Amino acid sequence: MKRNILLAATAMCFLASAAHAQTKTLTVGGYGGSFETLMKELIIPEFEKAHDVKIAFVAGNSTENLARLQAQKGAQELDVVILDDGPMYQADALGFCAPIVKSPVKDDIYEIADLGANSIGIGFVATGFTYSKDWFEKKGWDLPTSWEDLKDPKYSQILVVPPISNTYGLHALVMLARDAGGGEADIDPGFKAMADEVAPNVLVFEPSSGRMSELFQSGEIALSVWGSGRTKSLADTGFNAGFIYPKEGAVALMLAACPVVESDAPEEAQAFIDYLLEPEIQVKLADVMGSGPVNKKAELSPEMAASLPYGEKISTLVTVDWDVINPKRQDWTTRWSREVEQ
């Protein structure tokens, strides 16, 4: 009798071990902080249950995860990577992204979120102007409406523009270049406008979102070039912040995903990207990350819809040409240090 019980127990352990061995692990690289918390608490568990897969999440900013892809070339740890659109274009150009498989959920995605054959946007952030509502109300000032308004002397020493190493600063440079008749392929007008007319107004070229929030909350600044998501986060702290979409267009900064080449779980990688595009997940991303949904069927509350890229605002967004920018970005960074942040 004991022998039969022992044999049965052994068989059960063997079957459990075999079942465990068959459970694949999907490794996802994405942002840390609130994004990592959202993934681990509200998104990953449901996906694991539905797809019988274990997800390992690797936290890092876009630069770090792009460097991870480069360091692990030929032996990739990641199966899915989530990056800002600029680094994503680099990852794709370097051959790290596998083709995106068509699926029904992708039929509901805004065209602007289609980044090509190998990657797709999973959320919109708009680069525009963040402002202190209390400051502007106290001064009785009209709100800025154009990228050209950054040159207005009344903003002297109460304006912040992030440096070119930050996507928000890069977007501002490109938009100033476009306003002056140039653009990504002719950036000289942008550098001239930034150095001669905008920089004198700038208190500090601040890359840190935490420090930017502090500058607003301490009353040291009234206006900045920043993202709609960051503005929402600042407003969520109780600060009376608003966001402005410039008339020439706020610039779309997309959270983007791609399946990584040579994945040992390619079907699960594609399914996870589709999962991120589902309307209910898009709403969760909007709430936590302040990113506008790329899925047309996602429905935001009036409070979120007021500031995030959503609905009709999507058609006003403009994009930059990363294929032109990325090869020149290091040279531009050197030039920025020499000409703008002297």
Side-chain angles (χ1 to χ4, degrees), residues 313-326:
K313 293 192 185 95
I314 301 299
S315 64
T316 70
L317 297 177
V318 298
T319 59
V320 296
D321 191 338
W322 288 108
D323 289 334
V324 174
I325 292 170
N326 282 329

Side-chain angles (χ1 to χ4, degrees), residues 228-240:
S228 53
R230 295 296 187 188
T231 307
K232 178 183 180 298
S233 296
L234 177 59
D236 286 346
T237 68
F239 184 80
N240 198 13

Side-chain angles (χ1 to χ4, degrees), residues 201-341:
N201 288 341
V202 174
L203 176 67
V204 62
F205 292 94
E206 181 55 59
S208 165
S209 59
R211 179 58 181 151
M212 185 83 82
S213 296
E214 291 174 3
L215 290 168
F216 272 112
Q217 291 167 331
S218 65
E220 293 176 72
I221 63 171
L223 181 68
S224 73
V225 173
W226 220 15
S228 53
R230 295 296 187 188
T231 307
K232 178 183 180 298
S233 296
L234 177 59
D236 286 346
T237 68
F239 184 80
N240 198 13
F243 185 78
I244 297 166
Y245 291 77
K247 65 182 182 182
E248 302 94 337
V251 186
L253 190 168
M254 269 175 278
L255 287 62
C258 87
V260 178
V261 294
E262 301 173 0
S263 168
D264 57 2
E267 293 182 4
E268 290 79 4
Q270 298 283 348
F272 186 71
I273 292 173
D274 282 353
Y275 185 65
L276 295 177
L277 298 173
E278 292 290 344
E280 61 272 19
I281 303 301
Q282 290 276 291
V283 173
K284 291 178 181 179
L285 286 169
D287 186 34
V288 173
M289 295 296 291
S291 60
V294 300
N295 190 318
K296 299 172 186 177
K297 293 184 177 179
E299 296 185 7
L300 299 185
S301 68
E303 293 75 21
M304 283 196 286
S307 60
L308 301 187
Y310 178 67
E312 293 181 359
K313 293 192 185 95
I314 301 299
S315 64
T316 70
L317 297 177
V318 298
T319 59
V320 296
D321 191 338
W322 288 108
D323 289 334
V324 174
I325 292 170
N326 282 329
K328 300 179 179 181
R329 190 161 184 179
Q330 186 55 53
D331 290 341
W332 289 3
T333 300
T334 301
R335 184 175 175 182
W336 179 283
S337 299
R338 186 175 65 247
E339 298 180 19
V340 179
E341 292 190 58

Side-chain angles (χ1 to χ4, degrees), residues 80-193:
V80 174
V81 67
I82 299 167
L83 307 170
D84 289 349
D85 50 2
M88 182 60 78
Y89 275 99
Q90 286 182 287
D92 193 6
L94 291 168
F96 297 132
C97 293
I100 292 278
V101 174
K102 291 187 179 296
S103 63
V105 71
K106 295 187 180 78
D107 293 335
D108 299 324
I109 304 307
Y110 288 102
E111 184 177 350
I112 194 174
D114 182 355
L115 304 183
N118 301 332
S119 61
I120 192 166
I122 62 169
F124 292 116
V125 174
T127 299
F129 307 146
T130 303
Y131 70 101
S132 167
K133 291 182 178 180
D134 291 341
W135 185 303
F136 274 76
E137 183 177 342
K138 180 180 178 180
K139 292 286 188 179
W141 287 350
D142 292 333
L143 297 180
T145 60
S146 165
W147 289 97
E148 294 295 297
D149 289 337
L150 297 176
K151 303 173 183 178
D152 192 327
K154 75 181 179 185
Y155 299 129
S156 178
Q157 302 307 296
I158 58 170
L159 168 68
V160 169
V161 177
I164 195 174
S165 58
N166 183 294
T167 302
Y168 301 126
L170 176 65
H171 283 170
L173 177 67
V174 171
M175 294 307 292
L176 287 169
R178 290 183 183 181
D179 277 356
E184 293 90 328
D186 178 16
I187 203 65
D188 289 353
F191 271 106
K192 180 173 176 53

